[in-house]
Amino acid sequence: SARSRMVVRPSPDLLYASCAYDLGAAHGALRVHTRDMPKTYWSVSLFDADTDNFYVVNDRHAKDGAVDFLVVAPGTHVDSPLPQIVSPTARGIVLFRTLINDETHLAQIDAGRRHAGCAPYAPG
């Protein structure tokens, strides 16, 4: 919205969501997940502290509209059944992008995007 950035929709054909992470503060692991993503292009991209992209998954890889994985600190392994992606740095950014392929579906596309998120991993 206009409250969160000077340019409300920097790319008018994409909706964005992001999570800045600090794996030290997250006890070594961050859970990244999506579900019920819309039937349009979407992606989850991971960037390290130097803004280098080190991992991407999109709708072509996750055909069911869902991903669920951990981002872990270098040298860390977490006892979890979830796939683990090692971040080159302890801090970084997760960027979710969703293509607006039809403005009449904007509310539906945005609802799907809101199912994406990040949180410190807590087994259980």
Side-chain angles (χ1 to χ4, degrees), residues 2 9 18 28 33 35 38 43 45 55 58 63 66 79 87 111 121 124:
R9 284 177 59 188
S18 63
H33 60 88
R35 66 177 172 81
S43 68
S45 302
Y55 181 78
N58 63 36
K63 301 221 184 270
D79 186 23
S87 174
Y121 178 64

Side-chain angles (χ1 to χ4, degrees), residues 31-117:
R31 186 174 189 172
V32 178
H33 60 88
T34 65
R35 66 177 172 81
D36 301 328
M37 292 300 280
K39 301 261 188 263
T40 185
Y41 174 81
W42 58 268
S43 68
V44 180
S45 302
L46 305 180
F47 297 87
D48 67 14
D50 296 320
T51 68
D52 292 325
N53 177 237
F54 65 92
Y55 181 78
V56 177
V57 62
N58 63 36
D59 63 304
R60 294 179 185 124
H61 300 111
K63 301 221 184 270
D64 61 356
V67 296
D68 198 1
F69 62 88
L70 300 180
V71 179
V72 298
T76 301
H77 178 78
V78 177
D79 186 23
S80 170
L82 296 174
Q84 298 180 33
I85 309 301
V86 177
S87 174
T89 58
R91 293 177 186 235
I93 296 172
V94 179
L95 180 63
F96 301 92
R97 288 179 275 217
T98 310
L99 177 67
I100 304 166
N101 60 350
D102 184 336
E103 284 284 336
T104 63
H105 297 136
L106 181 60
Q108 177 187 13
I109 292 168
D110 188 44
R113 181 189 58 88
R114 291 177 184 274
H115 290 291

Side-chain angles (χ1 to χ4, degrees), residues 5-18:
R5 62 174 65 93
M6 297 289 288
V7 177
V8 177
R9 284 177 59 188
S11 177
D13 60 345
L14 293 173
L15 288 180
Y16 297 89
S18 63

